[in-house]
Amino acid sequence: MTNPSTFVLVHGAFQTGATWEHVAAELRSHGHSVHTPTLAGHGPGAPLNLTHADAVASLVEYLREHDLSDIVLVGHSIAGSFIAKAAEHVPESITRLVFLSALAVADGHALADEFPPEQTAIFGMLDPTQGVLLPFDLIRERACNDMARADAETIFGAMTPVPVAYFTDKLDLRVFYELIGSGRIKTSYINPVNDISFPPGEYGWEKRAQRLGPLCRILQTPGAHYAMTTHPAELAETLIHAGRD
Amino acid sequence: MTNPSTFVLVHGAFQTGATWEHVAAELRSHGHSVHTPTLAGHGPGAPLNLTHADAVASLVEYLREHDLSDIVLVGHSIAGSFIAKAAEHVPESITRLVFLSALAVADGHALADEFPPEQTAIFGMLDPTQGVLLPFDLIRERACNDMARADAETIFGAMTPVPVAYFTDKLDLRVFYELIGSGRIKTSYINPVNDISFPPGEYGWEKRAQRLGPLCRILQTPGAHYAMTTHPAELAETLIHAGRD
Amino acid sequence: MTNPSTFVLVHGAFQTGATWEHVAAELRSHGHSVHTPTLAGHGPGAPLNLTHADAVASLVEYLREHDLSDIVLVGHSIAGSFIAKAAEHVPESITRLVFLSALAVADGHALADEFPPEQTAIFGMLDPTQGVLLPFDLIRERACNDMARADAETIFGAMTPVPVAYFTDKLDLRVFYELIGSGRIKTSYINPVNDISFPPGEYGWEKRAQRLGPLCRILQTPGAHYAMTTHPAELAETLIHAGRD
């Protein structure tokens, strides 16, 4: 059997650590230790005048406060950028970064630079003082494509806007790419087979996974962008396969 | 549970509405209303001197005669072009277009323009006065790749040629693309995971699905090009997921 | 039921015919005849001063010695190049070539020309007098991505280096491409859905499969690069589907 691991699961945009509830229970039932922090700028009433670095700092602080080591640090969706930056601060605590349907941002890019133009056009229509929250239609059709409308409405109903700067701050990721290039931190990429949050092709997951280098371990899993909601048992198993040595 | 829908299932080239028999039974067992018209120019003894518009007209006429509304209109293979044109005539009757292994033809293109060159080369060898019927080897290896030869022979044995003009008429699809661009009609794309009727890559399903815009709901399903024959229960379930609100 | 076939299963680099043990048992339980030769230059103590043609000759000699005909000749990984060249020598004995996660080398290329640059960079670091054996990390992360580390270590522990010339000899494949282009020998391509031994994209399996022409039968199967180890029953079934008429 696999040795017990310490999983830290980082939610995607507009959500909180609560999104991992069922996956965390599955992982714990296999003997693993699981943390599901909610990052700064997320959740009801969160401030919207934060920078990308503030979200990263809240994650790093969580890892230090809980004195965690040998961490399998999992980032969903835009949290790919938060775990990459966090790894720069506490590389010695992290064994492996797992990107789940996640953005692997190019050095010097902002998150928004990684989105396809037809989606950033939607960003542009939003009021920056209100933060960013994607419209329901896009969430429903692209991220909840395998769900009933009522379930998509439940997910969307719990969402809250996040700071605009999370998407627009340019990110210096040189240390991150050195850490994974040198093999000091290992990486895995998990692609749910029905995930079309980004269109297949030029912006597809394959190109993102390739940025993580020739030793990135890639795995498919059932479900779509919110596999943690629709397929928690299968996702927990894939996370174990992605995170083990 | 999902509200009952009205499905209109449009067969692909060389076939008839009978190809949907098992899928239709599955959908009806879930409470849905199902229609499986055979379009003009298809089936034994059909005239071969028809135009693409004639096939579309026969579909529109069927929808009007049966006084259908709130339709989930499904097109298989080349029928992607027939449902797109039909939507231009009766947009108010259609809730969603579902493209199943289907061509989403570019405005101004003919169906043949969407085929890879190695397959249109095969078209060129056919006698136009006999209509178009692809050779058995191509059907067997690319569309029936997951079947026993005897099953491929059964499918091919029931096929009849269709008018050449179906493949060569240039299509004005400006109204169609306005309808889906404005969100007046929603779209879904279903890709059977083993479908290699078109080669993966430049002519792969991803590029076709992308033409349907940033809100097209994309779903994978088991089987290959004739999933309605090999995986009717699974396909019916995916059609329900593709067609629901 | 499918007629009994004669399967000849050719292992990939660094391995021997023993790798097929469980798949062979499955195929035999379905009534098929199965051969699993070990090619020259493979296995403990094998000479490392051989050429690509020597490995091909050892395969052709095996087929002749055993007087095999109507062969379904399966090649795994780099053995795609060995079965292609063998087909040039005994085309009359072969019904179909099945490429399993295999390289379809372009005419005039060496095997190494088909590898992505980040992997050939790894080749360059090896001592040619010792033969080629990829490092454990690459095998573990890219080829054993769906396995526990202990299972990856078992596979790697049984591996032995192969002659460098297998990767660097330029291959004249004109006769092979004529044989499959003319339809004298049919081809199938099997892709395990989790196989990332080569990165998806420019070096992905789709482009390799496309080289095999418009009538190549493509099938997906569960597992990753060593599906014969992790999913022998499913792979045997897919091999039957790939090899049948």
Side-chain angles (χ1 to χ4, degrees):
Chain A
M1 81 151 257
T2 309
N3 285 331
S5 297
T6 298
F7 282 94
V8 177
L9 311 177
V10 183
H11 57 84
F14 326 127
Q15 298 196 301
T16 70
T19 196
W20 297 107
E21 178 185 0
H22 299 299
V23 170
E26 292 282 344
L27 289 171
R28 287 177 186 127
S29 76
H30 286 84
H32 301 290
S33 172
V34 185
H35 295 257
T36 59
T38 295
L39 265 51
H42 293 81
L48 296 174
N49 60 343
L50 303 181
T51 65
H52 191 280
D54 291 325
V56 173
S58 73
L59 174 56
V60 172
E61 189 182 354
Y62 182 96
L63 301 179
R64 285 183 174 145
E65 271 183 2
H66 291 76
D67 199 21
L68 302 179
S69 59
D70 293 325
I71 302 167
V72 176
L73 182 58
V74 179
H76 178 236
S77 201
I78 71 161
S81 69
F82 299 132
I83 65 172
K85 285 300 297 179
E88 295 187 341
H89 292 279
V90 286
E92 68 287 353
S93 306
I94 296 169
T95 300
R96 188 178 288 263
L97 298 172
V98 178
F99 291 75
L100 169 63
S101 297
L103 289 166
V105 179
D107 176 47
H109 271 203
L111 270 168
D113 296 329
E114 305 287 339
F115 279 68
E118 72 266 22
Q119 292 190 11
T120 43
I122 292 169
F123 290 1
M125 293 184 293
L126 300 173
D127 176 355
T129 67
Q130 302 296 307
V132 173
L133 178 58
L134 294 180
F136 174 72
D137 279 357
L138 193 63
I139 299 283
R140 193 274 167 280
E141 298 295 347
R142 302 299 292 205
C144 301
N145 48 322
D146 63 343
M147 290 184 207
R149 186 179 186 86
D151 295 324
E153 286 172 344
T154 299
I155 285 185
F156 188 74
M159 286 181 163
T160 54
V162 298
V164 172
Y166 287 9
F167 289 87
T168 55
D169 283 351
K170 301 289 184 185
L171 305 179
D172 177 348
L173 287 157
R174 283 172 294 176
V175 174
F176 164 70
Y177 281 108
E178 284 167 24
L179 283 167
I180 65 169
S182 66
R184 281 188 58 197
I185 295 183
K186 295 182 174 177
T187 61
S188 294
Y189 194 97
I190 300 176
N191 175 57
V193 292
N194 264 318
D195 192 338
I196 53 147
S197 52
F198 279 13
E202 189 179 351
Y203 291 87
W205 68 271
E206 296 90 344
K207 298 209 174 173
R208 287 176 261 153
Q210 245 176 290
R211 286 213 184 122
L212 298 173
L215 294 180
C216 176
R217 185 190 300 170
I218 302 174
L219 292 167
Q220 309 278 337
T221 203
H225 200 61
Y226 296 117
M228 67 285 290
T229 302
T230 58
H231 297 75
E234 295 91 336
L235 180 55
E237 189 186 358
T238 306
L239 284 169
I240 292 169
H241 292 176
R244 63 187 168 187
D245 193 18
Chain B
M1 82 151 257
T2 309
N3 285 330
S5 297
T6 298
F7 283 94
V8 177
L9 311 176
V10 183
H11 57 83
F14 326 127
Q15 298 195 303
T16 70
T19 195
W20 298 107
E21 179 186 358
H22 299 300
V23 170
E26 292 282 344
L27 289 171
R28 286 179 187 125
S29 77
H30 285 84
H32 300 290
S33 172
V34 185
H35 294 258
T36 60
T38 295
L39 265 50
H42 294 79
L48 295 173
N49 60 343
L50 303 182
T51 65
H52 190 280
D54 291 325
V56 173
S58 73
L59 173 55
V60 171
E61 190 182 353
Y62 183 95
L63 302 180
R64 285 183 174 146
E65 271 183 2
H66 291 77
D67 200 20
L68 302 178
S69 59
D70 293 325
I71 303 167
V72 176
L73 183 57
V74 179
H76 179 236
S77 201
I78 71 160
S81 69
F82 299 133
I83 65 171
K85 286 300 297 179
E88 296 187 341
H89 291 280
V90 286
E92 67 287 352
S93 306
I94 296 169
T95 299
R96 188 179 287 264
L97 298 172
V98 178
F99 292 75
L100 169 63
S101 297
L103 289 167
V105 179
D107 176 47
H109 272 202
L111 271 168
D113 296 328
E114 305 287 339
F115 280 68
E118 71 266 24
Q119 291 191 11
T120 43
I122 293 168
F123 290 1
M125 293 183 295
L126 299 173
D127 176 354
T129 67
Q130 303 296 307
V132 173
L133 178 58
L134 294 179
F136 174 73
D137 279 357
L138 194 62
I139 299 284
R140 194 272 167 282
E141 297 295 348
R142 302 299 290 204
C144 301
N145 48 322
D146 63 344
M147 290 185 208
R149 186 179 187 86
D151 296 324
E153 287 172 345
T154 299
I155 285 185
F156 188 74
M159 285 180 163
T160 54
V162 297
V164 172
Y166 287 8
F167 288 87
T168 54
D169 284 350
K170 301 288 184 185
L171 305 180
D172 177 348
L173 287 157
R174 284 172 294 175
V175 174
F176 164 70
Y177 281 109
E178 284 167 23
L179 284 168
I180 66 169
S182 66
R184 281 187 60 196
I185 295 182
K186 295 181 173 177
T187 61
S188 295
Y189 195 97
I190 300 176
N191 176 57
V193 292
N194 264 318
D195 191 338
I196 53 146
S197 52
F198 280 12
E202 188 181 351
Y203 291 89
W205 69 272
E206 295 91 344
K207 299 210 175 174
R208 286 176 261 153
Q210 245 176 289
R211 287 212 185 124
L212 298 173
L215 294 180
C216 177
R217 184 190 301 168
I218 302 174
L219 292 167
Q220 309 277 337
T221 204
H225 200 62
Y226 296 117
M228 66 286 289
T229 302
T230 58
H231 297 75
E234 295 91 336
L235 180 56
E237 189 187 358
T238 306
L239 284 169
I240 292 170
H241 292 175
R244 63 187 167 186
D245 192 18
Chain C
M1 82 151 259
T2 310
N3 285 331
S5 297
T6 299
F7 283 93
V8 177
L9 311 177
V10 183
H11 57 83
F14 325 127
Q15 298 196 302
T16 70
T19 195
W20 296 107
E21 179 186 357
H22 300 300
V23 170
E26 291 282 344
L27 289 171
R28 287 178 187 126
S29 77
H30 285 84
H32 300 289
S33 171
V34 185
H35 295 256
T36 60
T38 294
L39 265 50
H42 293 80
L48 296 174
N49 60 344
L50 303 181
T51 66
H52 191 280
D54 291 326
V56 173
S58 74
L59 173 56
V60 171
E61 189 182 354
Y62 183 94
L63 301 180
R64 285 182 174 145
E65 271 183 3
H66 291 76
D67 199 22
L68 302 179
S69 59
D70 293 324
I71 303 167
V72 176
L73 183 58
V74 179
H76 178 236
S77 201
I78 72 160
S81 69
F82 299 132
I83 65 172
K85 286 300 297 180
E88 295 187 340
H89 292 280
V90 286
E92 67 287 352
S93 306
I94 296 169
T95 299
R96 187 178 289 261
L97 297 172
V98 179
F99 291 75
L100 169 63
S101 297
L103 289 167
V105 179
D107 176 48
H109 272 202
L111 270 169
D113 297 327
E114 305 287 339
F115 279 67
E118 71 265 23
Q119 293 191 10
T120 43
I122 293 168
F123 289 3
M125 295 184 295
L126 300 173
D127 176 355
T129 67
Q130 303 296 308
V132 173
L133 178 58
L134 293 180
F136 174 73
D137 279 356
L138 193 63
I139 299 283
R140 193 273 168 279
E141 297 295 347
R142 302 298 293 204
C144 300
N145 48 322
D146 62 344
M147 290 184 206
R149 186 178 186 86
D151 295 324
E153 287 172 345
T154 299
I155 285 185
F156 188 73
M159 286 181 162
T160 54
V162 297
V164 172
Y166 286 8
F167 289 87
T168 54
D169 283 350
K170 301 288 184 186
L171 305 180
D172 177 348
L173 286 158
R174 284 172 294 175
V175 174
F176 164 70
Y177 281 108
E178 285 167 22
L179 284 168
I180 66 169
S182 66
R184 281 187 60 195
I185 295 182
K186 295 181 174 178
T187 61
S188 295
Y189 195 97
I190 300 177
N191 175 57
V193 292
N194 264 319
D195 191 338
I196 53 147
S197 51
F198 280 11
E202 188 180 351
Y203 291 87
W205 68 271
E206 295 91 342
K207 298 209 175 176
R208 287 176 260 153
Q210 245 176 290
R211 287 211 185 124
L212 299 173
L215 294 180
C216 176
R217 185 189 301 169
I218 302 173
L219 292 167
Q220 309 278 336
T221 204
H225 200 62
Y226 296 117
M228 66 285 289
T229 302
T230 58
H231 296 75
E234 295 92 335
L235 180 56
E237 189 187 359
T238 306
L239 284 169
I240 292 169
H241 292 176
R244 63 188 168 186
D245 193 16

